[in-house]
Coordinates of all heavy atoms in Angstrom, one line a residue:
L65 N 54.8 21.7 72.9 CA 55.1 23.1 73.1 C 54.8 23.6 74.5 O 53.7 23.5 74.9 CB 54.4 24.0 72.1 CG 54.6 25.5 72.2 CD1 56.1 25.9 71.9 CD2 53.7 26.2 71.2
V66 N 55.8 24.0 75.3 CA 55.6 24.4 76.7 C 55.9 25.8 77.0 O 55.6 26.3 78.1 CB 56.4 23.4 77.6 CG1 55.9 22.0 77.6 CG2 57.9 23.5 77.3
E67 N 56.6 26.5 76.0 CA 56.9 27.9 76.2 C 57.2 28.6 74.9 O 57.6 27.9 73.9 CB 58.1 28.0 77.1 CG 58.5 29.4 77.6 CD 59.7 29.5 78.5 OE1 60.3 28.4 78.8 OE2 60.0 30.6 78.9
G68 N 56.9 29.8 74.8 CA 57.2 30.6 73.6 C 56.0 30.5 72.6 O 54.8 30.4 73.0
N69 N 56.3 30.7 71.3 CA 55.3 30.9 70.3 C 55.0 29.6 69.5 O 55.8 28.7 69.4 CB 55.9 31.9 69.3 CG 56.1 33.3 69.9 OD1 55.1 34.0 70.2 ND2 57.3 33.6 70.1
P70 N 53.8 29.5 69.0 CA 53.4 28.4 68.1 C 54.3 28.4 66.9 O 54.8 29.4 66.5 CB 52.0 28.7 67.7 CG 51.4 29.6 68.8 CD 52.6 30.4 69.2
F71 N 54.6 27.2 66.4 CA 55.4 27.0 65.2 C 54.9 25.9 64.4 O 54.0 25.2 64.8 CB 56.9 26.8 65.6 CG 57.2 25.5 66.4 CD1 57.6 24.4 65.7 CD2 57.1 25.5 67.8 CE1 57.9 23.2 66.4 CE2 57.3 24.3 68.5 CZ 57.7 23.2 67.8
V72 N 55.5 25.7 63.2 CA 55.0 24.7 62.3 C 56.0 23.6 62.1 O 57.2 23.9 62.0 CB 54.6 25.3 60.9 CG1 54.2 24.2 59.9 CG2 53.5 26.3 61.1
L73 N 55.6 22.3 62.2 CA 56.5 21.2 61.8 C 56.1 20.8 60.4 O 55.0 20.6 60.1 CB 56.3 20.0 62.8 CG 56.9 20.1 64.1 CD1 56.6 18.8 64.9 CD2 58.4 20.3 64.0
V74 N 57.2 20.7 59.6 CA 56.9 20.3 58.2 C 57.6 18.9 58.0 O 58.8 18.7 58.1 CB 57.6 21.3 57.2 CG1 57.3 20.8 55.8 CG2 57.0 22.7 57.5
F75 N 56.7 17.9 57.6 CA 57.2 16.5 57.4 C 57.3 16.3 55.9 O 56.4 16.6 55.2 CB 56.2 15.5 58.0 CG 56.1 15.5 59.5 CD1 55.3 16.5 60.2 CD2 56.8 14.6 60.3 CE1 55.2 16.5 61.6 CE2 56.8 14.6 61.7 CZ 56.0 15.6 62.3
D76 N 58.4 15.6 55.5 CA 58.6 15.2 54.1 C 58.5 16.4 53.2 O 58.2 16.3 52.0 CB 57.6 14.1 53.7 CG 57.7 12.9 54.6 OD1 58.9 12.5 54.9 OD2 56.7 12.3 54.9
G77 N 58.8 17.6 53.7 CA 58.8 18.8 52.9 C 57.4 19.3 52.5 O 57.3 20.4 51.9
T78 N 56.3 18.6 52.9 CA 55.0 19.0 52.4 C 53.9 19.0 53.6 O 53.2 20.0 53.7 CB 54.5 18.0 51.3 OG1 54.5 16.7 51.8 CG2 55.3 18.1 50.1
R79 N 53.8 17.9 54.3 CA 52.8 17.8 55.4 C 53.1 18.7 56.5 O 54.2 18.6 57.1 CB 52.6 16.4 55.8 CG 51.5 16.2 56.8 CD 51.2 14.7 57.1 NE 52.4 14.0 57.6 CZ 52.6 13.9 58.9 NH1 51.8 14.4 59.8 NH2 53.6 13.2 59.4
Q80 N 52.2 19.6 56.9 CA 52.4 20.5 58.0 C 51.6 20.3 59.2 O 50.4 19.8 59.1 CB 52.2 22.0 57.4 CG 53.1 22.3 56.3 CD 52.9 23.8 55.9 OE1 52.2 24.6 56.6 NE2 53.4 24.2 54.7
H81 N 52.2 20.5 60.4 CA 51.4 20.4 61.6 C 51.8 21.6 62.5 O 52.9 21.8 62.8 CB 51.8 19.1 62.3 CG 51.1 19.0 63.7 ND1 49.9 18.4 63.8 CD2 51.5 19.4 64.9 CE1 49.5 18.4 65.1 NE2 50.4 19.0 65.8
K82 N 50.8 22.3 62.9 CA 51.0 23.5 63.7 C 51.1 23.1 65.2 O 50.2 22.5 65.7 CB 49.9 24.6 63.5 CG 50.2 25.9 64.3 CD 49.2 27.0 63.9 CE 49.6 28.3 64.6 NZ 48.6 29.4 64.3
M83 N 52.2 23.4 65.8 CA 52.4 23.2 67.2 C 51.8 24.3 68.0 O 52.2 25.4 68.0 CB 53.9 23.0 67.5 CG 54.6 21.9 66.9 SD 53.9 20.2 67.4 CE 54.2 20.3 69.2
E84 N 50.8 23.9 68.8 CA 50.1 24.9 69.7 C 50.5 24.5 71.2 O 50.9 23.4 71.5 CB 48.6 24.8 69.5 CG 48.1 25.2 68.2 CD 48.0 26.7 67.9 OE1 48.5 27.5 68.8 OE2 47.5 27.0 66.8
F85 N 50.3 25.5 72.1 CA 50.7 25.3 73.5 C 50.0 24.1 74.1 O 48.7 24.0 74.0 CB 50.3 26.6 74.2 CG 50.7 26.6 75.7 CD1 52.0 26.5 76.1 CD2 49.7 26.7 76.7 CE1 52.4 26.5 77.4 CE2 50.1 26.8 78.0 CZ 51.4 26.6 78.4
L86 N 50.7 23.2 74.7 CA 50.3 22.0 75.4 C 49.4 21.1 74.6 O 48.4 20.6 75.0 CB 49.5 22.5 76.7 CG 50.4 23.1 77.8 CD1 49.5 23.4 79.0 CD2 51.6 22.2 78.1
Q87 N 49.8 20.9 73.3 CA 49.1 20.0 72.4 C 50.1 19.0 71.8 O 50.8 19.3 70.8 CB 48.3 20.7 71.3 CG 47.2 21.5 71.8 CD 46.4 22.2 70.7 OE1 46.4 21.8 69.5 NE2 45.6 23.2 71.1
P88 N 50.4 17.9 72.5 CA 51.4 17.0 72.1 C 51.2 16.4 70.7 O 50.1 16.2 70.3 CB 51.4 15.9 73.2 CG 50.6 16.4 74.3 CD 49.6 17.4 73.7
I89 N 52.3 16.1 70.1 CA 52.3 15.3 68.8 C 53.3 14.2 68.9 O 54.4 14.4 69.4 CB 52.5 16.2 67.6 CG1 52.6 15.3 66.3 CG2 53.8 17.0 67.7 CD1 52.7 16.1 65.0
S90 N 53.0 13.0 68.4 CA 53.9 11.9 68.5 C 54.3 11.5 67.0 O 53.4 11.5 66.1 CB 53.2 10.7 69.1 OG 52.9 11.0 70.5

Side-chain angles (χ1 to χ4, degrees):
L65 175 63
V66 294
E67 188 178 0
N69 296 288
F71 63 96
V72 175
L73 282 182
V74 182
F75 292 84
D76 301 321
T78 56
R79 184 169 62 90
Q80 299 186 11
H81 178 89
K82 188 172 183 181
M83 295 296 304
E84 300 278 6
F85 183 62
L86 293 183
Q87 294 184 17
I89 177 176
S90 299

